[in-house]
Amino acid sequence: MERSTIVTYLEANKDRMLNELLDLLRIPSVSADSSKKEAMQKTAEAVKQRLTEAGADNVEICPTDGYPVVYGEKIIDKNKPTVIVYGHYDVQPADPLELWDSPPFEPVIKKTPIHPQGAIFARGSCDDKGQMYMHVKAFEIMMKTNTLPCNIKFMIEGEEEVGSPSLGPWIKKNKEKLKGDIFLISDTSIIANDTPSIDTGLRGLAYMEVEVTGPNRDLHSGVYGGGVANPINVLCKMIASCHDENKHVTIPGFYDKVVELSDDERKEMAKAPFSIEEFKKDLNIEDIYGENGYSTIERTGIRPTLDVNGIWGGYIGEGAKTVLPSKAFAKISMRLVPNQNSDEISEIFQKHFECIAPKGVKVIVKPHHGGEPFVISPTNPAYQAASKAMEETYNKKPVPTRGGGSIPIVALFKEELGLDSILMGFGLDSDALHSPNEHYGLFNYYKGIETIPLFYKHYAALSSK
Ligand code: BES
Ligand code: MN
Ligand code: MN
């Protein structure tokens, strides 16, 4: 397979490949929003149709207990290796809508300083419809130019953004269908468009909801204030006590299983280009913040965290209402690193919160979805194939990095199917995933489509040795 064959086909079909993605982005497939059920089905059907057009066989919309998985395959030779492509067609909710410069499901292309060739602004453009669709187009190129060197299976799910609750059971029931050698996923970031990188890990997640109840009803804050525990005051104090002055998490046992990296590994990580000044400028913050003794790259990659995602209670309407609320709530997530376990961390969190609550309030801790961390060695031959593919198209060897985000199902691929995952992402952290004005560079979209077939080339070559 020559790179020029891919580039020629890509150049001739660029505009169509872009328009197809824009069509996909127009369907509001928000998995968290139960009013979007129809859009979810429509998106699954669109993915099915596109896979079929690209040349996949046995394409089907597989029902699960939740939103369906779209499956398709091309088996060229049973003796050749099989790559399974994973991606997700669901997206995060678009709100707050008023902060979008253009409607989230009406994609527009605009230039930005980081994307001088233009970027597609739409919810899901980067996470993950844009990145997932690169694989469909790369597959089309390999089919149409007769260069597919190994077997391929697609598994595109619709519940990633809500924790993939139905995918685990579906995998367990479909192990035969999912026989393969490696997962290939584009749902992570690269450092910069002139600095390719490949994630060698993902953090796990434990997500909790805390409800603190004080008095049995909202009270007059003058008549009762000072005489009963205010659940919001109490919750704030409990949350604040979760970090010490060094910004370490104080929950007993939290760090017990954390794998510390060796000095050599940390030195290797520190080679990844990172500018604190640009980081601060991008986020408009005066200074960085985080656990003492670790760099920003380490804090967001190899260290576990505890963050409040939302907190509410009491009066938040217009003006002032003097009230001592009966209840306070918070959603708290903990990002986990190898070898922490989400069930264990959820349990010690729950015990800790029950233990530090003062008498006078009741605390209920409810775990939401979780997921386990994942790591892969850069010496893995499939990682090497991805590295070679990116080196060919970026003219630079990609840097191994750790992704701070989570794709919980990746650990399950390893546990249930015994398969590793290659996290060959093409988005940028600054593409505003999950935020208003999410976008994806045209450069990134086309570069991904161009690079993916080369992964197959190098992977097939490795496996035939
Ligand atoms: N694609 C992201 C994960 C990601 C983004 C990993 C950037 C590395 C770099 C994924 O769609 C996501 O948002 N995952 C969620 C977890 C899920 C359980 C809601 C996350 O990380 O918050
Ligand atoms: Mn994603
Ligand atoms: Mn996401």
Side-chain angles (χ1 to χ4, degrees), residues 53-67:
E53 286 165 1
D57 298 326
N58 303 322
V59 187
E60 49 176 326
I61 296 182
C62 310
T64 71
D65 291 341
Y67 289 120

Side-chain angles (χ1 to χ4, degrees), residues 127-144:
D127 184 10
D128 179 43
K129 282 175 176 166
Q131 295 211 68
M132 173 272 285
Y133 202 62
M134 297 180 319
H135 287 267
V136 181
K137 293 299 96 179
F139 171 60
E140 174 192 323
I141 294 180
M142 292 187 284
M143 288 300 290
K144 297 288 149 72

